Amino acid sequence: MYRRVKELGVVSEGILIDQIDPSSDRAVFRQIADQLRQAIENGRLREGEKLPSEAELIEHYGVARMTVRQAIQELRNEGLAVAEHGRGVFVRRRPPVKRLASDRFARRHRKDGKAAFLAESEAVGAKPQVDHIAISEMQPPQEISERLRIAPDTTVVARSRRYLRDGHPVELATSYIPVEIARGTQIMEPNSGPGGIYARIEDQGHTLERFVEDVSTRMPTREEAKLLNLSAGTPVFRLIRTAYDLEGMAVEVCDTIMSGDAFLLSYELPAH
Amino acid sequence: MYRRVKELGVVSEGILIDQIDPSSDRAVFRQIADQLRQAIENGRLREGEKLPSEAELIEHYGVARMTVRQAIQELRNEGLAVAEHGRGVFVRRRPPVKRLASDRFARRHRKDGKAAFLAESEAVGAKPQVDHIAISEMQPPQEISERLRIAPDTTVVARSRRYLRDGHPVELATSYIPVEIARGTQIMEPNSGPGGIYARIEDQGHTLERFVEDVSTRMPTREEAKLLNLSAGTPVFRLIRTAYDLEGMAVEVCDTIMSGDAFLLSYELPAH
DNA sequence: AAGTGGTCTAGACCACTTT
DNA sequence: AAGTGGTCTAGACCACTTG
């Protein structure tokens, strides 16, 4: 009356072949997850294809509903599957990855009047958009004031925006700029003008010399997941970029959250 | 008989204060997760502290066990909490992050005979170790042969190892080196000698000029999670580094999986 | 032995999608 | 209306940790 083996009917395009090994130490829901994972990894289930429904899995393995739901939950956490209410569970489609090369902030890319994100996206044929622009003066978090080398209670101009590619949000960014540089410039306007804020900073006499990018990864907060429309099992990049001028002054810090499945960061390092 | 409100007893150090709003659209388990998440984020529950037990949560909120387990599952997936069988659920401790600067492969760091990982770790006072060294000749995956600019069926030398910091595994790496360079050298030995394999490659007359690192992030495979001892909710970096010599020849590709909570990658970009 | 989380069963009702 | 996943209850037994 426990873990009865069904007649070996081919269920759902022949994905379900194996049964559970009741003698195994491995939890039943993990064994089910293992079999589905294998089907995904070896291509028997391709991107976008529907997994067997909960009802089919219950029938095939002869287990309770919670057990198959745990198995599916595991695949969702791993980023292998996504559930769509009322439709089914599907093998996760991997969105095309955008490669960001380390020369993306080179001045020549700014010359033609395009900000970095717009130029990059157009280069791969994606339609770039920017929304949710908010500009304010505020006291930045400690991580930012440290990088700007200013006292913790100093006010800076913060410029937040969200970037979309082909209508899908992929990146949240907030730039922090010392007020002495930003005040009275187009940096305070939603449209920062040709070449973006880096061009405006250079207009102010701060010729940019180098950037430092600190990259980390983690799971998104709920807020980030909502704004980037992330499905379960998608981590984010946190990228903090500090811009320095010729005098070595930190003139901007940009704190960016990027959808982890939408970017590949490419950096070049000299061997000296 | 449903969602009964308990006498407002202070449970478990006063973490549980609020109740469920039954009129809310938000699922009960999400409301519970929200309250616990808030306690973690605003510091009422600090790193390493124990969350209320399932029994306490059931008692406090007047819900079924599966409901509180779903709430806790959510926090685990977000990387905020870790469960320890028989002990309780604890606020995730963030291990100290190791910063990898972009000059970490500069030749001067190799001069004193240390491979990059060992030198870096010692610099921050962590005890570095290497284990699981496996060396073989094989046909590399496509991503690798493309970067080495060799035909897909060409054999290369693959050198796999696992790196540990203070006894905890943090990184898995496999280097792929063309056989013409590796054969007959210490690259084929578990101990690659002073300065590591980059020093051996230079011994062969290939002076290194630059590296390109391609960084992506994703959830680990089961295999990776086991080898790196990752808890749920920890993503990994995938870093593919290609080394080029003065002639522009790709002389090595290193495919690395790094525990996402153990590293911060720091890169410097010129503004040109 | 007591307390904790891990796994599993067997139902129920709901909301969303498709036919 | 039928099929799908989302949420929830109310139990059960097990395995691990601590006193």
PDB file of all heavy atoms in Angstrom, chain A residues 18 28 33 45 51 58 64 77 79-80 98 102 110 117 149 187 194 199 201 218 224 227 238 248 259 265 268:
ATOM      1  N   ASP A  18      11.918   5.769 -15.104  1.00  0.00           N
ATOM      2  CA  ASP A  18      12.403   5.122 -13.898  1.00  0.00           C
ATOM      3  C   ASP A  18      11.382   5.188 -12.774  1.00  0.00           C
ATOM      4  O   ASP A  18      10.414   5.939 -12.828  1.00  0.00           O
ATOM      5  CB  ASP A  18      13.699   5.808 -13.453  1.00  0.00           C
ATOM      6  CG  ASP A  18      14.800   5.557 -14.456  1.00  0.00           C
ATOM      7  OD1 ASP A  18      14.749   4.533 -15.161  1.00  0.00           O
ATOM      8  OD2 ASP A  18      15.710   6.401 -14.534  1.00  0.00           O
ATOM      9  N   VAL A  28      12.692  10.392  -1.246  1.00  0.00           N
ATOM     10  CA  VAL A  28      11.886  10.147  -2.437  1.00  0.00           C
ATOM     11  C   VAL A  28      11.777  11.402  -3.290  1.00  0.00           C
ATOM     12  O   VAL A  28      11.968  11.359  -4.510  1.00  0.00           O
ATOM     13  CB  VAL A  28      10.482   9.639  -2.047  1.00  0.00           C
ATOM     14  CG1 VAL A  28       9.579   9.574  -3.266  1.00  0.00           C
ATOM     15  CG2 VAL A  28      10.584   8.279  -1.377  1.00  0.00           C
ATOM     16  N   ALA A  33      13.274  14.537  -8.141  1.00  0.00           N
ATOM     17  CA  ALA A  33      13.964  15.721  -8.665  1.00  0.00           C
ATOM     18  C   ALA A  33      15.159  15.289  -9.510  1.00  0.00           C
ATOM     19  O   ALA A  33      15.400  15.842 -10.587  1.00  0.00           O
ATOM     20  CB  ALA A  33      14.410  16.619  -7.516  1.00  0.00           C
ATOM     21  N   LEU A  45      14.198  16.681 -22.018  1.00  0.00           N
ATOM     22  CA  LEU A  45      13.269  17.805 -21.846  1.00  0.00           C
ATOM     23  C   LEU A  45      14.019  19.055 -22.258  1.00  0.00           C
ATOM     24  O   LEU A  45      15.024  19.407 -21.659  1.00  0.00           O
ATOM     25  CB  LEU A  45      12.848  17.932 -20.375  1.00  0.00           C
ATOM     26  CG  LEU A  45      11.695  17.072 -19.886  1.00  0.00           C
ATOM     27  CD1 LEU A  45      11.594  17.127 -18.378  1.00  0.00           C
ATOM     28  CD2 LEU A  45      10.396  17.542 -20.516  1.00  0.00           C
ATOM     29  N   LEU A  51       7.033  20.132 -18.113  1.00  0.00           N
ATOM     30  CA  LEU A  51       7.285  18.927 -17.305  1.00  0.00           C
ATOM     31  C   LEU A  51       5.973  18.171 -17.129  1.00  0.00           C
ATOM     32  O   LEU A  51       4.896  18.737 -17.319  1.00  0.00           O
ATOM     33  CB  LEU A  51       7.819  19.330 -15.928  1.00  0.00           C
ATOM     34  CG  LEU A  51       9.338  19.485 -15.771  1.00  0.00           C
ATOM     35  CD1 LEU A  51       9.890  20.552 -16.670  1.00  0.00           C
ATOM     36  CD2 LEU A  51       9.693  19.783 -14.319  1.00  0.00           C
ATOM     37  N   ILE A  58       2.327  12.140  -9.547  1.00  0.00           N
ATOM     38  CA  ILE A  58       1.706  11.414  -8.438  1.00  0.00           C
ATOM     39  C   ILE A  58       1.326  10.009  -8.903  1.00  0.00           C
ATOM     40  O   ILE A  58       1.623   9.007  -8.243  1.00  0.00           O
ATOM     41  CB  ILE A  58       0.448  12.173  -7.948  1.00  0.00           C
ATOM     42  CG1 ILE A  58       0.855  13.470  -7.249  1.00  0.00           C
ATOM     43  CG2 ILE A  58      -0.401  11.295  -7.041  1.00  0.00           C
ATOM     44  CD1 ILE A  58      -0.294  14.448  -7.051  1.00  0.00           C
ATOM     45  N   ALA A  64       2.454  11.044  -2.567  1.00  0.00           N
ATOM     46  CA  ALA A  64       1.514  12.109  -2.240  1.00  0.00           C
ATOM     47  C   ALA A  64       1.870  13.386  -2.989  1.00  0.00           C
ATOM     48  O   ALA A  64       2.991  13.559  -3.485  1.00  0.00           O
ATOM     49  CB  ALA A  64       1.522  12.377  -0.741  1.00  0.00           C
ATOM     50  N   ASN A  77      14.211  26.114  -7.354  1.00  0.00           N
ATOM     51  CA  ASN A  77      15.265  26.794  -6.595  1.00  0.00           C
ATOM     52  C   ASN A  77      16.600  26.758  -7.327  1.00  0.00           C
ATOM     53  O   ASN A  77      17.432  27.631  -7.153  1.00  0.00           O
ATOM     54  CB  ASN A  77      15.456  26.141  -5.229  1.00  0.00           C
ATOM     55  CG  ASN A  77      14.266  26.368  -4.332  1.00  0.00           C
ATOM     56  OD1 ASN A  77      13.454  27.258  -4.568  1.00  0.00           O
ATOM     57  ND2 ASN A  77      14.147  25.533  -3.324  1.00  0.00           N
ATOM     58  N   GLY A  79      16.900  26.976 -10.396  1.00  0.00           N
ATOM     59  CA  GLY A  79      16.820  27.776 -11.605  1.00  0.00           C
ATOM     60  C   GLY A  79      16.619  26.947 -12.859  1.00  0.00           C
ATOM     61  O   GLY A  79      16.824  27.431 -13.959  1.00  0.00           O
ATOM     62  N   LEU A  80      16.232  25.687 -12.695  1.00  0.00           N
ATOM     63  CA  LEU A  80      16.058  24.821 -13.868  1.00  0.00           C
ATOM     64  C   LEU A  80      14.638  24.853 -14.410  1.00  0.00           C
ATOM     65  O   LEU A  80      14.415  24.549 -15.578  1.00  0.00           O
ATOM     66  CB  LEU A  80      16.424  23.372 -13.511  1.00  0.00           C
ATOM     67  CG  LEU A  80      17.891  23.113 -13.204  1.00  0.00           C
ATOM     68  CD1 LEU A  80      18.105  21.667 -12.786  1.00  0.00           C
ATOM     69  CD2 LEU A  80      18.734  23.424 -14.434  1.00  0.00           C
ATOM     70  N   LYS A  98      23.992  39.059 -22.413  1.00  0.00           N
ATOM     71  CA  LYS A  98      24.670  40.220 -22.973  1.00  0.00           C
ATOM     72  C   LYS A  98      26.084  40.264 -22.425  1.00  0.00           C
ATOM     73  O   LYS A  98      26.298  40.197 -21.221  1.00  0.00           O
ATOM     74  CB  LYS A  98      23.905  41.472 -22.541  1.00  0.00           C
ATOM     75  CG  LYS A  98      24.545  42.780 -22.935  1.00  0.00           C
ATOM     76  CD  LYS A  98      24.369  43.058 -24.417  1.00  0.00           C
ATOM     77  CE  LYS A  98      24.968  44.398 -24.763  1.00  0.00           C
ATOM     78  NZ  LYS A  98      26.369  44.468 -24.398  1.00  0.00           N
ATOM     79  N   SER A 102      35.359  45.000 -21.220  1.00  0.00           N
ATOM     80  CA  SER A 102      35.961  45.916 -20.249  1.00  0.00           C
ATOM     81  C   SER A 102      36.279  47.271 -20.853  1.00  0.00           C
ATOM     82  O   SER A 102      36.667  48.182 -20.140  1.00  0.00           O
ATOM     83  CB  SER A 102      37.208  45.289 -19.631  1.00  0.00           C
ATOM     84  OG  SER A 102      38.108  44.885 -20.627  1.00  0.00           O
ATOM     85  N   ARG A 110      31.853  57.182 -25.917  1.00  0.00           N
ATOM     86  CA  ARG A 110      31.032  58.311 -25.486  1.00  0.00           C
ATOM     87  C   ARG A 110      30.984  59.407 -26.541  1.00  0.00           C
ATOM     88  O   ARG A 110      30.084  60.214 -26.562  1.00  0.00           O
ATOM     89  CB  ARG A 110      31.601  58.921 -24.192  1.00  0.00           C
ATOM     90  CG  ARG A 110      31.086  58.279 -22.920  1.00  0.00           C
ATOM     91  CD  ARG A 110      31.274  59.171 -21.722  1.00  0.00           C
ATOM     92  NE  ARG A 110      32.638  59.529 -21.445  1.00  0.00           N
ATOM     93  CZ  ARG A 110      33.564  58.709 -20.966  1.00  0.00           C
ATOM     94  NH1 ARG A 110      33.285  57.446 -20.739  1.00  0.00           N
ATOM     95  NH2 ARG A 110      34.775  59.137 -20.730  1.00  0.00           N
ATOM     96  N   PHE A 117      25.055  52.074 -21.648  1.00  0.00           N
ATOM     97  CA  PHE A 117      24.042  51.028 -21.770  1.00  0.00           C
ATOM     98  C   PHE A 117      23.356  51.051 -23.131  1.00  0.00           C
ATOM     99  O   PHE A 117      23.136  50.021 -23.760  1.00  0.00           O
ATOM    100  CB  PHE A 117      22.993  51.187 -20.667  1.00  0.00           C
ATOM    101  CG  PHE A 117      21.921  50.129 -20.699  1.00  0.00           C
ATOM    102  CD1 PHE A 117      22.128  48.909 -20.092  1.00  0.00           C
ATOM    103  CD2 PHE A 117      20.723  50.351 -21.354  1.00  0.00           C
ATOM    104  CE1 PHE A 117      21.153  47.919 -20.132  1.00  0.00           C
ATOM    105  CE2 PHE A 117      19.744  49.370 -21.400  1.00  0.00           C
ATOM    106  CZ  PHE A 117      19.955  48.150 -20.791  1.00  0.00           C
ATOM    107  N   ARG A 149      35.273  58.620  -0.669  1.00  0.00           N
ATOM    108  CA  ARG A 149      36.202  59.220   0.291  1.00  0.00           C
ATOM    109  C   ARG A 149      35.642  60.521   0.837  1.00  0.00           C
ATOM    110  O   ARG A 149      36.303  61.569   0.811  1.00  0.00           O
ATOM    111  CB  ARG A 149      37.575  59.466  -0.358  1.00  0.00           C
ATOM    112  CG  ARG A 149      38.256  58.177  -0.828  1.00  0.00           C
ATOM    113  CD  ARG A 149      39.723  58.413  -1.088  1.00  0.00           C
ATOM    114  NE  ARG A 149      40.267  57.505  -2.080  1.00  0.00           N
ATOM    115  CZ  ARG A 149      40.587  57.858  -3.327  1.00  0.00           C
ATOM    116  NH1 ARG A 149      40.423  59.104  -3.727  1.00  0.00           N
ATOM    117  NH2 ARG A 149      41.083  56.962  -4.161  1.00  0.00           N
ATOM    118  N   ILE A 187      23.082  66.614 -14.880  1.00  0.00           N
ATOM    119  CA  ILE A 187      23.050  65.419 -14.046  1.00  0.00           C
ATOM    120  C   ILE A 187      21.804  65.433 -13.164  1.00  0.00           C
ATOM    121  O   ILE A 187      21.263  64.379 -12.810  1.00  0.00           O
ATOM    122  CB  ILE A 187      24.327  65.325 -13.178  1.00  0.00           C
ATOM    123  CG1 ILE A 187      25.543  65.079 -14.075  1.00  0.00           C
ATOM    124  CG2 ILE A 187      24.209  64.238 -12.111  1.00  0.00           C
ATOM    125  CD1 ILE A 187      26.892  65.163 -13.364  1.00  0.00           C
ATOM    126  N   PRO A 194      23.703  64.171 -24.072  1.00  0.00           N
ATOM    127  CA  PRO A 194      24.528  63.292 -24.915  1.00  0.00           C
ATOM    128  C   PRO A 194      25.767  62.757 -24.191  1.00  0.00           C
ATOM    129  O   PRO A 194      26.484  63.522 -23.570  1.00  0.00           O
ATOM    130  CB  PRO A 194      24.923  64.190 -26.098  1.00  0.00           C
ATOM    131  CG  PRO A 194      24.665  65.587 -25.630  1.00  0.00           C
ATOM    132  CD  PRO A 194      23.543  65.505 -24.652  1.00  0.00           C
ATOM    133  N   ALA A 199      29.896  62.037 -19.487  1.00  0.00           N
ATOM    134  CA  ALA A 199      30.224  63.198 -20.335  1.00  0.00           C
ATOM    135  C   ALA A 199      30.014  64.493 -19.548  1.00  0.00           C
ATOM    136  O   ALA A 199      30.809  65.423 -19.648  1.00  0.00           O
ATOM    137  CB  ALA A 199      29.355  63.176 -21.595  1.00  0.00           C
ATOM    138  N   ILE A 201      30.260  64.872 -16.293  1.00  0.00           N
ATOM    139  CA  ILE A 201      31.325  65.006 -15.297  1.00  0.00           C
ATOM    140  C   ILE A 201      32.586  65.563 -15.958  1.00  0.00           C
ATOM    141  O   ILE A 201      33.274  66.428 -15.408  1.00  0.00           O
ATOM    142  CB  ILE A 201      31.595  63.655 -14.605  1.00  0.00           C
ATOM    143  CG1 ILE A 201      30.407  63.289 -13.690  1.00  0.00           C
ATOM    144  CG2 ILE A 201      32.891  63.701 -13.792  1.00  0.00           C
ATOM    145  CD1 ILE A 201      30.459  61.887 -13.120  1.00  0.00           C
ATOM    146  N   ARG A 218      24.809  37.363  -5.225  1.00  0.00           N
ATOM    147  CA  ARG A 218      23.963  36.890  -4.129  1.00  0.00           C
ATOM    148  C   ARG A 218      22.559  36.706  -4.663  1.00  0.00           C
ATOM    149  O   ARG A 218      22.257  37.066  -5.790  1.00  0.00           O
ATOM    150  CB  ARG A 218      23.956  37.911  -2.985  1.00  0.00           C
ATOM    151  CG  ARG A 218      23.498  39.302  -3.397  1.00  0.00           C
ATOM    152  CD  ARG A 218      23.210  40.170  -2.182  1.00  0.00           C
ATOM    153  NE  ARG A 218      23.027  41.570  -2.531  1.00  0.00           N
ATOM    154  CZ  ARG A 218      21.950  42.086  -3.109  1.00  0.00           C
ATOM    155  NH1 ARG A 218      20.943  41.294  -3.481  1.00  0.00           N
ATOM    156  NH2 ARG A 218      21.873  43.380  -3.354  1.00  0.00           N
ATOM    157  N   GLU A 224      14.240  43.626  -5.209  1.00  0.00           N
ATOM    158  CA  GLU A 224      14.976  43.489  -6.465  1.00  0.00           C
ATOM    159  C   GLU A 224      14.313  42.472  -7.383  1.00  0.00           C
ATOM    160  O   GLU A 224      14.213  42.673  -8.599  1.00  0.00           O
ATOM    161  CB  GLU A 224      16.417  43.060  -6.166  1.00  0.00           C
ATOM    162  CG  GLU A 224      17.227  44.137  -5.475  1.00  0.00           C
ATOM    163  CD  GLU A 224      18.482  43.614  -4.796  1.00  0.00           C
ATOM    164  OE1 GLU A 224      18.666  42.371  -4.737  1.00  0.00           O
ATOM    165  OE2 GLU A 224      19.276  44.446  -4.299  1.00  0.00           O
ATOM    166  N   LEU A 227      11.356  44.170  -9.044  1.00  0.00           N
ATOM    167  CA  LEU A 227      11.699  45.188 -10.039  1.00  0.00           C
ATOM    168  C   LEU A 227      12.357  44.587 -11.283  1.00  0.00           C
ATOM    169  O   LEU A 227      12.224  45.116 -12.379  1.00  0.00           O
ATOM    170  CB  LEU A 227      12.641  46.234  -9.420  1.00  0.00           C
ATOM    171  CG  LEU A 227      11.986  47.199  -8.434  1.00  0.00           C
ATOM    172  CD1 LEU A 227      13.043  47.981  -7.675  1.00  0.00           C
ATOM    173  CD2 LEU A 227      11.042  48.141  -9.183  1.00  0.00           C
ATOM    174  N   ARG A 238      25.975  42.134  -8.045  1.00  0.00           N
ATOM    175  CA  ARG A 238      26.040  43.471  -7.474  1.00  0.00           C
ATOM    176  C   ARG A 238      27.356  44.043  -7.946  1.00  0.00           C
ATOM    177  O   ARG A 238      28.425  43.460  -7.700  1.00  0.00           O
ATOM    178  CB  ARG A 238      26.028  43.392  -5.952  1.00  0.00           C
ATOM    179  CG  ARG A 238      26.414  44.681  -5.252  1.00  0.00           C
ATOM    180  CD  ARG A 238      25.228  45.329  -4.612  1.00  0.00           C
ATOM    181  NE  ARG A 238      25.528  46.626  -4.031  1.00  0.00           N
ATOM    182  CZ  ARG A 238      25.817  46.835  -2.756  1.00  0.00           C
ATOM    183  NH1 ARG A 238      25.874  45.802  -1.921  1.00  0.00           N
ATOM    184  NH2 ARG A 238      26.035  48.048  -2.304  1.00  0.00           N
ATOM    185  N   GLY A 248      42.984  61.563  -9.446  1.00  0.00           N
ATOM    186  CA  GLY A 248      42.766  60.454  -8.522  1.00  0.00           C
ATOM    187  C   GLY A 248      41.572  60.657  -7.609  1.00  0.00           C
ATOM    188  O   GLY A 248      41.345  59.907  -6.664  1.00  0.00           O
ATOM    189  N   SER A 259      20.458  41.491 -13.371  1.00  0.00           N
ATOM    190  CA  SER A 259      19.889  40.156 -13.462  1.00  0.00           C
ATOM    191  C   SER A 259      20.991  39.171 -13.855  1.00  0.00           C
ATOM    192  O   SER A 259      21.642  39.324 -14.881  1.00  0.00           O
ATOM    193  CB  SER A 259      18.776  40.154 -14.509  1.00  0.00           C
ATOM    194  OG  SER A 259      18.290  38.857 -14.699  1.00  0.00           O
ATOM    195  N   LEU A 265      30.102  39.339 -17.752  1.00  0.00           N
ATOM    196  CA  LEU A 265      31.038  40.443 -17.598  1.00  0.00           C
ATOM    197  C   LEU A 265      32.406  39.993 -18.073  1.00  0.00           C
ATOM    198  O   LEU A 265      32.908  38.962 -17.637  1.00  0.00           O
ATOM    199  CB  LEU A 265      31.109  40.874 -16.131  1.00  0.00           C
ATOM    200  CG  LEU A 265      29.759  41.178 -15.476  1.00  0.00           C
ATOM    201  CD1 LEU A 265      29.933  41.423 -13.982  1.00  0.00           C
ATOM    202  CD2 LEU A 265      29.112  42.379 -16.144  1.00  0.00           C
ATOM    203  N   GLU A 268      39.587  42.485 -19.038  1.00  0.00           N
ATOM    204  CA  GLU A 268      40.936  42.200 -19.503  1.00  0.00           C
ATOM    205  C   GLU A 268      41.928  42.632 -18.431  1.00  0.00           C
ATOM    206  O   GLU A 268      41.813  43.726 -17.879  1.00  0.00           O
ATOM    207  CB  GLU A 268      41.209  42.950 -20.812  1.00  0.00           C
ATOM    208  CG  GLU A 268      42.567  42.627 -21.356  1.00  0.00           C
ATOM    209  CD  GLU A 268      42.728  43.052 -22.812  1.00  0.00           C
ATOM    210  OE1 GLU A 268      41.714  43.163 -23.524  1.00  0.00           O
ATOM    211  OE2 GLU A 268      43.897  43.270 -23.219  1.00  0.00           O
TER     212      GLU A 268
END
